[in-house]
Amino acid sequence: IVDEEKDEVAGLLRDQGCVPVFLSEKISDEHYNGFSNGVLWPLFHYLHNNLQYNDKLWTSYLSANQSFADTVESIYRPGDTIWIHDLHLMLVAKMLRRQLPKATIGFFLHIPFPSPEIFKVFPWKREVLSGVLECDLVGFHTYEYAQNFLRTCAIVLGLETKPNGVTVKGKFVRVGVFPIGIEPKKFLEKMETEKVQKRVEELKAIFAGKQVIIGVDRLDYIKGVPHKLLGFEGFLEKYPEWRDKVVLVQVAVPSRADGPEYKQLKDETDELVGRINGAFAVSRDKYNEGVATQLGRVAPVQYLYRSVDMDELCALYRVASCCFVTSIRDGMNLVCLEYIASQQGTCGSLILSEFAGAAQSLCGGAILINPWNTDEMVDALHTAMTMTPEQRQVKHDLMFNYVMKYTSAFWGQLFITELHTFKPPSPGPSAPSSAAATPLSTPLLSRAARVAVVPALPHEDSSPNLINGVFSPNILHSLSKIDSPLLGLYSASPRMSRPTSPSVGPVRLNSRSLQSAYKESSKRLFLLSYEGTLVPQHDTHHVERPSWKLLAQLKELVKYKENEIVILSEHNQKNLMEWFNGVRLILVSNGMQLRPGCTEWEPLFPEVNTEWKEAVRPLFKYYTVRTPGAKVEETDMQMQWDYSKADITFGKTQARELNQNLDSMPLKVIRGNKTLTVTPHEMNTTTIVQRIIGQMTTFDFMFSDCPQANIVAERMVEETESVSKCFVFQMGEAGSKDNSSTSSGRGGGGAGGISSPAYYMSDSDELQEVFDLLVAS
């Protein structure tokens, strides 16, 4: 822009709320094309082998950053927020901090941050890191990128890092994960326009009878377009029956075409397209008019080396039954999000590179692939092409819900909220830094400052309610004010003490003695756990269905009105209800009970106040928002945080910290397979057993694997002498000794007293043998 036009340009931009930064043509070219795109871009995308570092380009990068800093300083007013974006301006924060020491500054990197081993080769690594670390909050798309940044700060600068930030010169700089999104409503609205709907019908006619695979990429070496073409070529070779049933529409938007590496990429792409079309083109009569041809035959790759407008793009997204993304390294990749939004009501499949940032958010619904593994891409294409409509629907719904929730507006609001919510905490003792990976347990907020996002019940002071990642006594004091007949005032220890182990272990259950006691009794109670007793308990927390034999045995036992069977479980209530349908027994799951003849679960403790949820609910929400793929499920007496669809590493890290916060509350926390379940602490097995037995009429025989049943039985014996025969057992032989001659009776003889299991059985199979014996009695 020539000097005489600068005032006019500045005026036009001012009307749009913008202020220009004027750079010379040389500085602009060397800063943008030379250093940002020629050095930082390939370095941050792990393509550093052939980089040539140039002091002149670095000088221009410094100059451009200083120009931006000077412009911002000239218009800054106290209270303004400064949000710096991306690799082009990584020094601006440090330049501003010298003149604006109290300014609120945030930085977000829109591309990957490489591992320390890659970043260490960069000659100006310390300068760039120091520039970014003058911010109050540094944001990344994914947990991996944030972790790489923290590790690099520890290795390159020798700084002390915490899971959620780094201490620099006495100041704590927070580091967070903020996956960016799109505005899906724009695509949904565009799909309803007459122009797009007309174009969709035209494309359907052109590709009638064919499944369309869509690829939309800038022709950039990080997008993996040649890898995609090799995968498609391999698919046509391995599955010849698909050659006239599928077409790949690849939109390749020209990008930085002047660079030699981009010209080489275009030549390679053109060659691959020609090779595939030459080998696999089919006769024209198998296609409709309107598609590209190769020597008079229809080409299986429809290659569009140009930009397309949004109407055309939406129409292509809509007709495609699969979106194919093969980035070899990508900060986020929004194409897959656009495709998902455009597929509502159609439910296409998504094949997504594991090296795209979006893979950490969409892993539950996408088919993840390694673009360097051609065989894996071939298999993924076949899976996508043969997936049932029901399978597509389930995967699409999962991804669509994510896209609708994590929009670009949500991303921006979340970052700014985090930036303004708290001042950084004063540095305190932290774990020694090391070169090892530091888990990002709190992706957004500093540990000492989460109370605004995780409000407690009302408290009198305004001091922080979190100390080193766990709730302070303020929240516990607030919880103690909850008025509940069962929960009391929470004055007890957060964990109830367990009975001490007896000096002599339990003895093997004598089934004949049990059978004799069974025959002599007139009212019997079976109080049994499902997991680990009726069915085996696996290390993976997988829960088996009851076998047909077990169901038949239970049905036979409950045919007699003298028998009452209660099954305790922490499993999904819907499954339990389905599995034991038609069996007259009582199911108890996480404080809820289903009695014979009922179709709805009822609270076992209807008098319990559920105000504890008001403290847990915002905590769950906090971690759900910050853990893509996580969700919350809630029933009357429990809340569950499920991270099974989240990134494995990040989900475990988040669950670990969430569990730490929950452990500081007077609540019961159950760790399952990628779940955390919370119930009122005092609603434990003992109180559940008490309540269940209290609902029963008098009985003189009890068979149970719950040690707490011994305590309850003891009290009943002392008060009423009603339980004359009590058999409490454990599964497994740990701490036991074989004594098959022991007689039956209350408490199990001298085997350790009534408050601990008197007997043991080897496994669930032995229990079923006992049931066979009782059924035959």
Side-chain angles (χ1 to χ4, degrees), residues 79-279:
D80 286 352
T81 298
I82 302 171
W83 189 4
I84 303 167
H85 289 263
D86 222 12
L87 73 162
H88 313 87
L89 302 173
M90 298 185 78
L91 307 178
V92 170
K94 186 171 185 177
M95 296 171 174
L96 283 172
R97 190 62 76 188
R98 298 178 189 141
Q99 304 301 321
L100 307 172
K102 296 184 178 180
T104 299
I105 305 175
F107 175 83
F108 188 85
L109 185 66
H110 290 263
I111 61 175
F113 194 92
S115 66
E117 294 75 20
I118 299 296
F119 196 78
K120 281 170 62 178
V121 307
F122 182 46
W124 300 281
K125 53 184 175 290
R126 292 179 179 83
E127 290 85 344
V128 169
L129 287 175
S130 299
V132 173
L133 288 173
E134 289 295 338
C135 295
D136 299 302
L137 176 64
V138 181
F140 300 91
H141 283 306
T142 73
Y143 162 74
E144 177 190 350
Y145 307 158
Q147 185 187 58
N148 285 345
F149 179 77
L150 288 171
R151 292 177 58 214
T152 302
C153 289
I155 294 172
V156 174
L157 299 180
L159 298 174
E160 286 188 280
T161 62
K162 289 186 177 182
N164 60 321
V166 55
T167 301
V168 187
K169 299 178 182 178
K171 174 185 175 182
F172 189 77
V173 178
R174 288 172 287 151
V175 175
V177 175
F178 306 83
I180 199 171
I182 62 171
E183 283 306 307
K185 288 184 179 179
K186 290 174 57 178
F187 289 86
L188 293 172
E189 292 170 356
K190 183 64 72 171
M191 291 299 171
E192 299 300 320
T193 63
E194 182 179 352
K195 184 176 181 181
V196 170
Q197 290 181 352
K198 180 180 179 181
R199 182 55 178 161
V200 167
E201 294 305 315
E202 292 173 353
L203 291 172
K204 285 181 177 179
I206 291 172
F207 299 117
K210 313 299 182 295
Q211 293 205 44
V212 177
I213 302 171
I214 184 68
V216 179
D217 306 275
R218 285 186 300 104
L219 194 58
D220 191 300
Y221 46 80
I222 72 165
K223 297 297 183 179
V225 175
H227 301 69
K228 181 186 304 184
L229 292 170
L230 289 172
F232 184 64
E233 181 181 46
F235 173 69
L236 296 179
E237 289 175 345
K238 185 173 181 179
Y239 299 100
E241 68 272 18
W242 280 96
R243 292 177 185 177
D244 63 346
K245 299 176 183 177
V246 67
V247 59
L248 170 64
V249 178
Q250 177 61 53
V251 178
V253 180
S255 172
R256 306 167 191 163
D258 294 336
E261 65 274 16
Y262 289 95
K263 291 180 179 178
Q264 180 180 351
L265 174 63
K266 184 178 185 303
D267 290 344
E268 180 184 4
T269 303
D270 291 345
E271 180 182 344
L272 281 170
V273 170
R275 187 175 82 193
I276 295 170
N277 286 342

Side-chain angles (χ1 to χ4, degrees), residues 105 157 215 256-257 273 277 368 389 394 454 484 493 497 502 532 538 549 555 589 595 607 620 626 641 676:
I105 305 175
L157 299 180
R256 306 167 191 163
V273 170
N277 286 342
L368 298 185
V394 170
V454 188
S484 166
S493 168
S497 61
H538 296 276
K549 180 179 179 181
K555 287 181 180 179
S589 174
R595 302 187 68 82
E607 74 278 14
F620 273 20
R626 290 151 181 82
W641 193 70
L676 288 178

Side-chain angles (χ1 to χ4, degrees), residues 453-468:
V453 189
V454 188
L457 297 174
H459 54 87
E460 296 177 358
D461 58 45
S462 58
S463 60
N465 283 298
L466 282 162
I467 300 176
N468 294 328

